[in-house]
Amino acid sequence: MHEPSKADQQLAQSQSLLENLARLVPGVIYQYRLYPDGRSAFPYSSPGMNDIYEVTPEEVREDATPVFGRLHPDDYDDVANAIGESARTLQTFYCEFRVVLPRQGLRWRWSQAHPERTEDGGTLWHGIILDITARRQTEAEKAVLETQLQQARKMESVGQLAGGVAHDFNNMLSVILGHTELALEQVSPGQPLHVNLMKIFQAATRSADLTRQLLAFARQQAIMPKALDLNEMVQGLLTLLRPLIGEDIDLKWHPAADLWSVKMDPSQIDQILTNLLVNARDALSDVGKVTLETGNTTFDESYCAEHRGFVPGEYVRLDVSDDGCGMDKDTLSHLFEPFFTTKQLGKGTGLGLATVYGIVKQNNGFINVYSEPGEGSRFSIYLPRHAGNAEQAGTNGAAAAARGQETVLLVEDEPAILELTTTILERQGYTVLAAQTPSEAIHLATRHPGPIHLLLTDIIMPEMNGRDLAKNILAANPHLKSLFMSGYTAGAIGRHGMLDADVSFIQKPFSINELAAKVRVTLDRE
Ligand code: ADP
Ligand code: MG
């Protein structure tokens, strides 16, 4: 036995220091050696090798092959090239890459190493490898969220634009429709002019439908939600929509038993179902199958965490599926954008799904689409459950050509509509006090000697909204009835454009008969 030499002691000390440090460092620290004949090895690697590559330092001391076997096939070339480059230039090696490990599966690795030339002409690196899987996952999630946010913003701004255009357009359409109706009444059906006027009337009506779709997309459609039984609604609509689908298409309908109710404007269910069915029909080449289904669905937090786009809660589901052409990824990514269509000119407007999207959003629901090219499509609409029973989806039909002698205070900032509406009401026998601004209306109301029975007002006006105007005038005329009209709502009526059930409202553009009926019904209300 002899005393260990000073040099031996120092070596032992520095080795234990290295071992302690190596254990402290996250990941692995290593020496990697590349021989001139292309073989390579890890002459030294810290115990972290067990985690980083799931190999022991001994297994790769002489031969690095097991490590290369762990590299993700798609990243193998990147790593090999980075090593080659660093060996050639003696610049620092740097690489982020994936590994596939027997126990941990797919993981991300980050490595940096400094090279030096060896006597035999090979290269020796000293470096470190770290686990960056968590960072990579966060980045990926962030990218997904960012895309979603951008998509939402895009839809929002397109919606605002569409809503604004639709609003102005609605006013113009009201004037066209109204004057055409007035003209039609003065031309007997036998005269040639009658045909022309009918054509104008039909075209304007069709434009009004398009405008309504745009407003629905922009979530600026005034709505009157009712508690509804979706099964009953669908059943009723199917009779109407059957001809639209055509005889050769096999239409299956599976209503769920004990379906929860939803609270929604019935006309919005019409819009959803019509658009989805027309799309399903178009996806089928003459023959095929379309299936309608309803159901109750509950999503909990954990389900929604795993399924993007789902929101926890209780929903009534409406599925419309077809075994038609299906959709590719590109189509799916633009599906709900207004004016996105793959149909030939004149066949599609690209407003169908934009409308459905707007309606479902306005009702705090969401949509899920499943489709593959050639495999058909399934659209699932989720509408929030309404706690309570369904009411009857009553009609608001009233006697046509309803007349009266009462006095109506009419407020409308668009002169052409003010004039038209005055003409219509006067023809029905009413006395009309016409005002272009709320202040003018208040002035007229105080000056008018007799009673005022009805306030018919636009909702959105520069000075004061229709609601506040009604409150103001009601103070002096407690028996006054109010009827609101609007082309859009843009949140001015209430949150999400929802009207209280007891508020009378008429959507622009309206026909002479619609207006006359609505005025009569409002006046006759208790
Ligand atoms: P449009 O029907 O006027 O083209 P939509 O907004 O209703 O506008 O639909 C947009 C596009 O989405 C369609 O042009 C079509 O490419 C695709 N699409 C919608 N529904 C289906 C379906 N059931 N099967 C296949 N493609 C569909
Ligand atoms: Mg469509």
Side-chain angles (χ1 to χ4, degrees):
M1 280 270 275
H2 66 94
E3 287 284 295
S5 74
K6 193 137 198 227
D8 283 345
Q9 268 180 359
Q10 272 174 349
L11 186 64
Q13 255 175 11
S14 74
Q15 247 165 12
S16 90
L17 176 69
L18 177 66
E19 255 162 50
N20 281 331
L21 284 176
R23 244 190 296 278
L24 269 175
V25 175
V28 62
I29 50 177
Y30 65 87
Q31 275 186 325
Y32 175 67
R33 184 161 184 174
L34 181 62
Y35 296 98
D37 62 5
R39 281 183 308 117
S40 68
F42 287 89
Y44 170 81
S45 54
S46 63
M49 208 64 173
N50 291 293
D51 285 329
I52 291 291
Y53 282 113
E54 294 186 9
V55 296
T56 62
E58 291 72 40
E59 281 175 277
V60 291
R61 184 160 295 145
E62 309 269 299
D63 180 8
T65 313
V67 160
F68 283 92
R70 302 282 200 245
L71 296 179
H72 190 287
D74 291 349
D75 294 353
Y76 188 96
D77 287 352
D78 285 352
V79 177
N81 290 338
I83 294 173
E85 180 77 8
S86 174
R88 202 167 52 75
T89 60
L90 292 185
Q91 298 283 322
T92 304
F93 164 86
Y94 175 81
C95 199
E96 289 188 15
F97 53 96
R98 285 163 295 175
V99 292
V100 184
L101 306 175
R103 274 185 287 115
Q104 303 168 67
L106 184 85
R107 308 292 291 176
W108 275 95
R109 300 292 180 245
W110 172 99
S111 179
Q112 191 170 321
H114 186 71
E116 63 194 47
R117 194 66 74 219
T118 49
E119 279 169 13
D120 60 2
T123 317
L124 178 69
W125 285 267
H126 290 87
I128 181 165
I129 309 173
L130 296 174
D131 180 355
I132 54 158
T133 311
R135 192 195 87 199
R136 280 283 181 162
Q137 273 166 353
T138 319
E139 279 170 4
E141 275 157 23
K142 209 173 124 210
V144 167
L145 283 177
E146 230 147 56
T147 327
Q148 280 179 324
L149 182 67
Q150 262 172 18
Q151 186 72 8
R153 283 211 185 113
K154 183 167 76 183
M155 295 295 261
E156 206 54 46
S157 52
V158 177
Q160 266 166 16
L161 185 70
V165 173
H167 175 225
D168 291 345
F169 208 65
N170 247 350
N171 277 337
M172 296 306 117
L173 281 173
S174 298
V175 177
I176 296 172
L177 275 168
H179 282 289
T180 312
E181 274 191 285
L182 288 175
L184 270 168
E185 285 177 11
Q186 293 162 50
V187 178
S188 64
Q191 285 174 267
L193 193 57
H194 195 271
V195 179
N196 301 109
L197 287 171
M198 274 313 287
K199 292 261 188 254
I200 297 176
F201 187 72
Q202 282 156 5
T205 308
R206 190 158 149 56
S207 305
D209 286 342
L210 288 180
T211 324
R212 201 163 298 138
Q213 290 194 303
L214 271 182
L215 285 171
F217 166 69
R219 273 167 277 156
Q220 291 177 355
Q221 175 175 247
I223 50 168
M224 286 207 188
K226 285 194 176 88
L228 295 175
D229 176 351
L230 200 61
N231 282 344
E232 214 172 276
M233 283 292 304
V234 173
Q235 184 67 48
L237 285 166
L238 277 184
T239 0
L240 292 174
L241 294 175
R242 185 68 245 206
L244 202 74
I245 307 297
E247 287 304 317
D248 294 329
I249 288 168
D250 179 14
L251 186 65
K252 290 258 188 314
W253 162 223
H254 304 294
D258 302 319
L259 192 67
W260 295 329
S261 48
V262 291
K263 186 158 186 162
M264 231 176 131
D265 189 316
S267 72
Q268 293 192 309
I269 310 238
D270 297 10
Q271 286 177 297
I272 292 178
L273 201 63
T274 312
N275 283 309
L276 292 182
L277 281 179
V278 168
N279 282 348
R281 177 202 66 192
D282 291 349
L284 297 167
S285 43
D286 298 332
V287 285
K289 199 165 82 185
V290 176
T291 311
L292 282 171
E293 198 178 313
T294 50
N296 297 332
T297 313
T298 306
F299 297 121
D300 58 18
E301 300 279 347
S302 65
Y303 183 89
C304 297
E306 278 163 37
H307 296 79
R308 218 188 310 138
F310 287 77
V311 186
E314 293 183 318
Y315 296 91
V316 177
R317 190 188 77 242
L318 171 66
D319 278 351
V320 179
S321 9
D322 63 71
D323 60 356
C325 60
M327 288 172 272
D328 57 22
K329 285 233 158 54
D330 189 48
T331 300
L332 281 168
S333 70
H334 296 292
L335 210 53
F336 298 109
E337 289 170 20
F339 307 114
F340 172 78
T341 179
T342 58
K343 296 170 190 173
Q344 37 174 248
L345 202 69
K347 273 210 95 183
T349 58
L351 284 177
L353 289 176
T355 306
V356 173
Y357 173 89
I359 292 174
V360 172
K361 268 259 148 130
Q362 188 174 32
N363 288 284
N364 300 314
F366 58 93
I367 309 175
N368 187 258
V369 184
Y370 179 77
S371 184
E372 303 262 351
E375 298 289 318
S377 313
R378 187 185 64 227
F379 286 79
S380 302
I381 310 283
Y382 295 93
L383 299 164
R385 174 187 189 177
H386 171 66
N389 290 326
E391 306 160 26
Q392 278 301 318
T395 57
N396 45 7
R403 301 175 59 81
Q405 268 106 46
E406 289 92 338
T407 301
V408 179
L409 175 57
L410 171 66
V411 196
E412 162 66 62
D413 61 338
E414 175 64 48
I417 299 191
L418 184 65
E419 191 202 314
L420 172 73
T421 314
T422 307
T423 312
I424 296 174
L425 291 175
E426 283 177 349
R427 266 178 19 128
Q428 302 297 115
Y430 298 102
T431 302
V432 180
L433 308 172
Q436 210 182 321
T437 61
S439 53
E440 196 184 335
I442 294 168
H443 184 66
L444 276 179
T446 39
R447 283 233 331 244
H448 183 71
I452 298 174
H453 304 91
L454 178 75
L455 169 70
L456 172 58
T457 178
D458 197 7
I459 294 178
I460 290 142
M461 292 174 292
E463 277 175 15
M464 184 191 282
N465 73 45
R467 245 194 190 170
D468 293 340
L469 175 65
K471 271 195 211 128
N472 190 309
I473 296 184
L474 208 65
N477 302 269
H479 299 296
L480 182 85
K481 304 272 173 45
S482 309
L483 172 56
F484 297 100
M485 52 186 171
S486 184
Y488 81 140
T489 63
I493 297 185
R495 271 186 58 238
H496 306 309
M498 282 188 211
L499 287 162
D500 300 334
D502 60 347
V503 169
S504 296
F505 173 79
I506 184 161
Q507 172 93 46
K508 283 184 199 167
F510 40 73
S511 72
I512 294 181
N513 282 343
E514 274 168 357
L515 179 66
K518 204 76 192 200
V519 165
R520 194 63 261 158
V521 167
T522 311
L523 280 167
D524 293 341
R525 264 191 161 180
E526 282 307 305

